[in-house]
Amino acid sequence: MEKQKQRHTALYERTNHVSSSQIEHNSISEQKELLTEYAKSHNYSEIKHYSDVGTSGIMFNRPALNELLREAENGNVDTVIVKDISRIGRSTVDVLRIVAELKKNNVRVITVVEGFDTCAQS
């Protein structure tokens, strides 16, 4: 009998400034705290953070985002949770492409602030 692969919940954070200021550091920290609290309060386990610091939302070639997408393609991710849709990107077309790619790989996408959920019932 083949053992089923353990999938994890991906929490994705992004800031667009590399500044070492406390404000920028807190931005990633605050996103991590918000997403971790959301995941735990909604009974998500096996969480893993993917953070891109100093990357613009108009750029889609980001190390952590690329790793997350590879993990999803390999069947290792169950759900992606982000603070808001702009953390994924600023281009609506590209964000929709990424969400569609994740859905194709049976990955649920949730945004905490907007309440967007690809598994929401209409």
Side-chain angles (χ1 to χ4, degrees), residues 9 38-47 78-79 81 108 110 117:
T9 299
Y38 180 92
K40 288 181 178 179
S41 70
H42 288 81
N43 299 315
Y44 289 97
S45 59
E46 301 297 323
I47 62 174
D78 182 60
T79 304
I81 304 174
R108 180 180 190 178
I110 297 171
D117 184 342

Side-chain angles (χ1 to χ4, degrees), residues 86-98:
S86 72
R87 297 306 86 202
I88 296 173
R90 298 289 183 177
S91 164
T92 303
V93 171
D94 290 323
V95 169
L96 290 174
R97 179 187 52 78
I98 288 171

